[in-house]
Amino acid sequence: MPNRTVFFISDGTGITAETFGNAILNQFETTVRRVRLPFLDTADKAHQAVRQINHAADLEGNRPLVFTTVVDMEVLSVFRNECKGVLLDMFGTFIAPLEHELGIKSNHRVGRFSDASQSQAYNDRIEAINFSLAHDDGQSHKDLQGSDVILVGVSRSGKTPTSLYLAMQYGLKASNYPLIPEDFERRQLPPALVPHRKKIFGLTIAPERLSQIRNERRPNSRYAQLENCRMEVSEAEAMMRREGIRWLSTTTKSIEEIATTILQEIRPERLEY
Amino acid sequence: MPNRTVFFISDGTGITAETFGNAILNQFETTVRRVRLPFLDTADKAHQAVRQINHAADLEGNRPLVFTTVVDMEVLSVFRNECKGVLLDMFGTFIAPLEHELGIKSNHRVGRFSDASQSQAYNDRIEAINFSLAHDDGQSHKDLQGSDVILVGVSRSGKTPTSLYLAMQYGLKASNYPLIPEDFERRQLPPALVPHRKKIFGLTIAPERLSQIRNERRPNSRYAQLENCRMEVSEAEAMMRREGIRWLSTTTKSIEEIATTILQEIRPERLEY
């Protein structure tokens, strides 16, 4: 049982506080108890949170770590003045030097979204998610030209989660299209894909890992057999090489790493936005 | 055309650097050009990035802002010594005080994922995404008891993107189930849902906004008519009230805000993990 508690404190959702804190905690070989306290947008709620933090401090006999992205000065001062934890204050630390550099004052606005439905970028993101869902697993050839990127690869190579991540995180219309044994026999790209070659990105995977993933879904099937996985992967890689399609292996990579690599390769302008 | 460039610098994907930087930039009413430079894991790549930053500095006549989550000390020192930008250094700033507080050294490990496929949490996340896809829009009653949360609401109230976000971000098995006119006529929850009442969370939406969203998908349909939307929303809210289901209005909320609220209500233990 960890005897140190970490709090993520925010006047918004706390997602940034959590990303910030977890990135830093990941640098330490230590186990902690994590508590997220979102939507602390009044001094009253801050006082309540402080009581919870100070209670943990007394109970555990050491100072809780408190990662905060609170921007409201009244709320923040409650933590600064009364909290027994170690305050790791993202905004307090970086806003002041930036105000100096930019020569303007910050607006202390809470959260990324004021009214999400009014934001074009937000609506584009929702539209991209719907698009990616409708174009999952080769479901629809319609509007394939509306795709920003088309992922190809054998079944269970990681196309679906990557497409959804690209849509959700970057508002990209990401379709995906399976490469199946019929394509390998014909030794040609699926005909629906041919006109969109420039948008295609391939995912491959080590046959051993593929067999393991497929076995979880359809145990002891031919589909999951190592021999069959070896054949499909080798045919798919040969096809991508022949067709000049860029590709990467997802075997040891997270969705985030795959998505970042695809962005670099397919739409570098998305890295400069 | 903005005349200040912001760089997000990382030896990993740069996603944390971008979250960190954008949260802070959002506090300023200013337009900037954004460039993300991921995977800078050698001094060579760092030198190349520094040239790009210094070129922007010379061209624009002011100091680029450089948000960094680089952990490799050799890479970081290239930026510290040679870069003309304003270095906003998340790890450099917060690691040292934490080493002091925790009494241990940080490991300077790059990125959140070493080999994603070996991580149980990562595999759970992928499984949750697959589960949520299979249980989108009431597609499958099977394993509904395997859901962590079941979202209900009228068509286009925000259930699908929220389910996928809960799965992708928190590894929650989130199903969703539409409330349709037949349910309102019967004045009862869809029978498949009744055994799972404790996991149900409702989403509602202002009829005007719903009509606007539906009109984009099926212009001039009865489905999209304001009168029909008013009726469906009012019936759905009456049903949720009658059945004692917790619910919120998604009208002006982002997926992130909706998901955070659901976590607080349905599975508070997820906030303490």
Side-chain angles (χ1 to χ4, degrees):
Chain A
M1 184 63 192
N3 76 332
R4 169 103 56 177
T5 305
V6 174
F7 291 88
F8 305 103
I9 299 289
S10 172
D11 33 22
T13 61
I15 292 168
T16 302
E18 213 174 349
T19 306
F20 159 46
N22 281 329
I24 287 167
L25 289 171
N26 195 42
Q27 295 300 309
F28 293 93
E29 306 288 345
T30 183
T31 331
V32 294
R33 198 169 70 94
R34 289 167 159 87
V35 180
R36 177 146 61 103
L37 301 177
F39 302 131
L40 303 176
D41 50 8
T42 65
D44 258 13
K45 292 181 194 167
H47 280 294
Q48 220 174 315
V50 163
R51 274 194 296 278
Q52 195 175 339
I53 296 167
N54 291 353
H55 180 69
D58 295 341
L59 212 67
E60 293 163 5
N62 59 35
R63 301 202 293 164
L65 310 181
V66 182
F67 290 94
T68 162
T69 55
V70 167
V71 292
D72 184 289
M73 289 312 291
E74 195 195 344
V75 174
L76 189 55
S77 70
V78 174
F79 291 100
R80 285 188 175 160
N81 297 333
E82 299 172 25
C83 155
K84 293 184 188 172
V86 182
L87 214 58
L88 299 138
D89 176 4
M90 184 197 270
F91 285 161
T93 305
F94 292 109
I95 291 282
L98 270 193
E99 286 184 337
H100 181 76
E101 174 67 29
L102 297 172
I104 52 177
K105 282 280 165 198
S106 71
N107 55 29
H108 294 283
R109 191 172 53 188
V110 177
R112 284 200 295 157
F113 310 99
S114 43
D115 176 354
S117 66
Q118 300 300 314
S119 145
Q120 187 59 46
Y122 183 76
N123 289 326
D124 289 350
R125 237 177 108 204
I126 298 296
E127 201 189 317
I129 295 170
N130 289 328
F131 183 94
S132 292
L133 277 173
H135 294 79
D136 182 35
D137 206 29
Q139 272 180 65
S140 169
H141 303 194
K142 232 178 55 186
D143 300 326
L144 218 48
Q145 76 272 24
S147 307
D148 292 311
V149 52
I150 304 169
L151 302 181
V152 301
V154 302
S155 164
R156 296 288 128 190
S157 53
K159 302 183 298 301
T160 295
T162 305
S163 309
L164 288 173
Y165 186 84
L166 285 168
M168 195 164 289
Q169 198 72 10
Y170 300 106
L172 282 188
K173 292 181 176 171
S175 341
N176 70 79
Y177 212 96
L179 296 178
I180 57 174
E182 285 77 351
D183 302 315
F184 305 140
E185 278 161 30
R186 272 205 324 266
R187 300 179 66 81
Q188 277 178 351
L189 269 187
L193 294 183
V194 174
H196 310 293
R197 197 180 301 248
K198 281 165 79 177
K199 295 175 182 173
I200 299 179
F201 196 95
L203 301 186
T204 190
I205 182 169
E208 295 72 20
R209 174 77 185 137
L210 181 62
S211 170
Q212 188 189 348
I213 294 171
R214 287 183 172 185
N215 256 312
E216 280 161 25
R217 290 180 76 86
R218 295 202 218 148
N220 307 314
S221 61
R222 180 176 144 65
Y223 168 78
Q225 258 175 20
L226 181 55
E227 260 329 292
N228 180 57
C229 291
R230 278 213 178 99
M231 183 278 290
E232 285 193 30
V233 167
S234 137
E235 291 280 356
E237 292 182 358
M239 181 178 292
M240 295 191 282
R241 239 179 252 114
R242 214 162 47 227
E243 302 275 352
I245 291 170
R246 290 153 295 183
W247 48 286
L248 66 80
S249 167
T250 65
T251 313
T252 62
K253 291 201 166 62
S254 66
I255 311 176
E256 285 80 356
E257 291 167 312
I258 302 167
T260 302
T261 305
I262 292 171
L263 278 179
Q264 281 191 297
E265 291 284 333
I266 284 267
R267 292 199 47 186
E269 74 272 24
R270 284 293 308 188
L271 294 172
E272 193 172 298
Y273 54 109
Chain B
M1 184 63 190
N3 77 332
R4 169 102 58 175
T5 305
V6 174
F7 291 89
F8 305 102
I9 301 289
S10 173
D11 32 22
T13 61
I15 292 169
T16 302
E18 211 174 347
T19 305
F20 159 47
N22 281 330
I24 288 168
L25 288 171
N26 194 42
Q27 294 300 309
F28 293 93
E29 306 288 346
T30 182
T31 330
V32 294
R33 198 169 70 94
R34 288 165 159 89
V35 180
R36 177 146 61 103
L37 301 176
F39 302 129
L40 302 177
D41 50 7
T42 64
D44 259 13
K45 290 182 195 166
H47 281 294
Q48 219 174 316
V50 163
R51 275 195 295 277
Q52 195 174 339
I53 296 167
N54 292 353
H55 180 69
D58 295 341
L59 212 66
E60 293 164 4
N62 58 35
R63 300 202 293 164
L65 310 181
V66 183
F67 290 95
T68 162
T69 56
V70 167
V71 292
D72 184 287
M73 289 313 292
E74 196 195 343
V75 174
L76 190 55
S77 70
V78 174
F79 290 101
R80 283 187 176 161
N81 297 332
E82 300 173 25
C83 156
K84 294 184 186 172
V86 182
L87 214 57
L88 300 137
D89 177 3
M90 184 197 272
F91 286 160
T93 305
F94 293 109
I95 292 282
L98 270 194
E99 287 184 337
H100 182 75
E101 175 67 27
L102 297 172
I104 53 177
K105 282 278 165 199
S106 70
N107 55 29
H108 293 283
R109 193 171 53 189
V110 176
R112 284 200 294 156
F113 312 98
S114 43
D115 177 352
S117 66
Q118 301 299 314
S119 147
Q120 187 58 46
Y122 183 76
N123 289 326
D124 289 350
R125 236 177 107 204
I126 298 295
E127 201 190 317
I129 294 171
N130 290 327
F131 183 95
S132 293
L133 278 174
H135 295 78
D136 183 35
D137 206 28
Q139 271 180 67
S140 170
H141 303 193
K142 231 179 53 184
D143 300 326
L144 216 48
Q145 75 271 27
S147 307
D148 293 311
V149 53
I150 303 168
L151 302 182
V152 301
V154 300
S155 163
R156 297 289 128 187
S157 53
K159 300 183 301 298
T160 295
T162 305
S163 309
L164 289 172
Y165 186 84
L166 285 168
M168 194 164 289
Q169 196 74 8
Y170 300 106
L172 282 187
K173 292 181 175 170
S175 340
N176 70 77
Y177 213 96
L179 295 178
I180 56 174
E182 285 76 350
D183 302 315
F184 305 139
E185 277 161 31
R186 273 205 323 269
R187 300 179 65 83
Q188 278 178 350
L189 270 187
L193 295 183
V194 174
H196 311 292
R197 196 180 303 248
K198 279 165 81 176
K199 295 175 183 173
I200 297 178
F201 196 95
L203 302 185
T204 190
I205 182 169
E208 295 71 20
R209 175 74 185 139
L210 181 62
S211 170
Q212 186 189 350
I213 294 171
R214 288 183 172 184
N215 257 312
E216 279 161 25
R217 291 180 75 88
R218 297 202 216 146
N220 306 316
S221 62
R222 178 173 147 67
Y223 169 77
Q225 257 174 20
L226 182 55
E227 260 327 292
N228 180 56
C229 291
R230 279 214 178 101
M231 183 278 290
E232 285 193 30
V233 167
S234 136
E235 290 281 355
E237 292 182 357
M239 181 179 293
M240 295 192 281
R241 239 180 252 115
R242 213 162 46 225
E243 304 275 350
I245 291 170
R246 290 152 296 183
W247 48 286
L248 67 79
S249 168
T250 65
T251 314
T252 61
K253 290 201 167 59
S254 66
I255 309 177
E256 285 82 354
E257 290 167 313
I258 302 167
T260 302
T261 305
I262 292 171
L263 277 180
Q264 281 191 298
E265 292 283 333
I266 284 268
R267 292 200 47 187
E269 74 269 29
R270 286 292 309 187
L271 293 174
E272 192 172 299
Y273 56 110

